[in-house]
Amino acid sequence: MKPLFIFCHGWGFDQQFFEPLIKEYFPTVGCYALDLGYFGNEKIDLPTDQPFIGVGHSLGFIKLVSLKVKFTALIGIQAFINFLGFDPQLQKKRKLALKTMLNCFQRNPIDTLSSFHKRCGLDYTLSKSFNTTKLMQDLALLATTHPLPPIPLLIIGAKNDTIVPPALIYDNFSNFTKYAKVIVHHKGHHCLGLYEGHFIHQQVINFLYGIGQSIHTT
């Protein structure tokens, strides 16, 4: 049975985040995009009972990890299991940054979201309506740590990502060398899935081939 790709966007986005990547590079593969409900209806129920390969961007990665399903493999684009980091110095710096963002979002969610999107390297038009409760809850979720399943993992980062920098990716995944392959691209900001689709596609195909999950995407 062919695996179904389950895509999950990160904080401050919706299921449209992965649409360009899916349409251009995975047109012949079964794909299903979740929506965390920040800007519309939540869509987090999986459609079928079959093998799944998860592809999560940023917070979307831990959302996939937390689902009560068994994945054949997980692909994290600018992903983490501990947003604050395990290293004490890194954690101290990131705790302050997260606390500042939480306070800013409570005072002015629109400006905070706009500033976040700019830091992602993107000029994003905000929806007129958004769910401040869900956004706030998931910001708070960034202070927690999530376990990793013992399955093949591909983690892709970007050197110029200021939200999830390479230092955090190595901090989070260096102890999982038996399962995790980490690759850092030279550009992409915090929107690799949008800006570097060809690179992401290549890495995914190479990774799946390496674990015996060869697929045809075009």
Side-chain angles (χ1 to χ4, degrees):
M1 186 181 293
K2 291 182 179 180
L4 179 69
F5 281 77
I6 305 297
F7 289 82
C8 188
H9 63 88
W11 189 87
F13 295 100
D14 59 21
Q15 66 180 21
Q16 294 179 11
F17 180 87
F18 277 117
E19 277 189 5
L21 181 71
I22 292 171
K23 286 181 179 179
E24 185 168 358
Y25 295 101
F26 296 88
T28 62
V29 179
C31 295
Y32 187 77
L34 303 182
D35 197 304
L36 300 179
Y38 299 143
F39 303 101
N41 294 328
E42 184 179 76
K43 187 176 77 171
I44 57 173
D45 293 327
L46 298 184
T48 57
D49 183 16
Q50 66 184 90
F52 296 125
I53 294 174
V55 183
H57 172 245
S58 196
L59 177 74
F61 180 77
I62 61 174
K63 289 287 187 177
L64 291 176
V65 168
S66 66
L67 291 176
K68 304 300 181 183
V69 298
K70 185 176 181 180
F71 287 98
T72 302
L74 282 169
I75 297 160
I77 301 174
Q78 297 162 304
F80 50 84
I81 54 171
N82 180 354
F83 182 77
L84 300 179
F86 294 102
D87 176 79
Q89 289 186 326
L90 180 63
Q91 190 174 106
K92 182 178 179 180
K93 179 181 177 181
R94 292 183 65 83
K95 271 185 178 179
L96 179 60
L98 179 58
K99 182 179 179 181
T100 301
M101 191 169 181
L102 282 163
N103 290 337
C104 289
F105 188 81
Q106 284 180 319
R107 291 195 303 268
N108 194 324
I110 293 177
D111 284 354
T112 304
L113 274 168
S114 295
S115 175
F116 170 74
H117 290 141
K118 287 177 182 177
R119 289 180 62 205
C120 289
L122 151 97
D123 186 10
Y124 197 71
T125 302
L126 279 174
S127 169
K128 291 182 180 179
S129 61
F130 52 88
N131 192 318
T132 54
T133 300
K134 285 183 182 293
L135 284 161
M136 190 67 186
Q137 286 174 344
D138 282 354
L139 266 185
L141 188 64
L142 295 176
T144 60
T145 303
H146 302 264
L148 270 175
I151 61 174
L153 303 167
L154 171 64
I155 309 299
I156 308 173
K159 285 186 178 180
N160 59 352
D161 184 354
T162 61
I163 308 293
V164 181
L168 180 68
I169 289 177
Y170 289 121
D171 169 272
N172 273 216
F173 297 103
S174 60
N175 290 330
F176 296 94
T177 52
K178 184 178 179 180
Y179 306 110
K181 179 180 181 180
V182 176
I183 296 171
V184 176
H185 196 36
H186 67 279
K187 59 181 179 178
H189 297 284
H190 193 58
C191 287
L192 266 173
L194 281 173
Y195 291 143
E196 300 297 320
H198 178 69
F199 176 80
I200 295 296
H201 174 257
Q202 282 188 316
Q203 302 311 314
V204 170
I205 295 305
N206 292 342
F207 167 68
L208 294 178
Y209 179 79
I211 62 171
Q213 289 281 337
S214 181
I215 60 170
H216 297 287
T217 60
T218 56

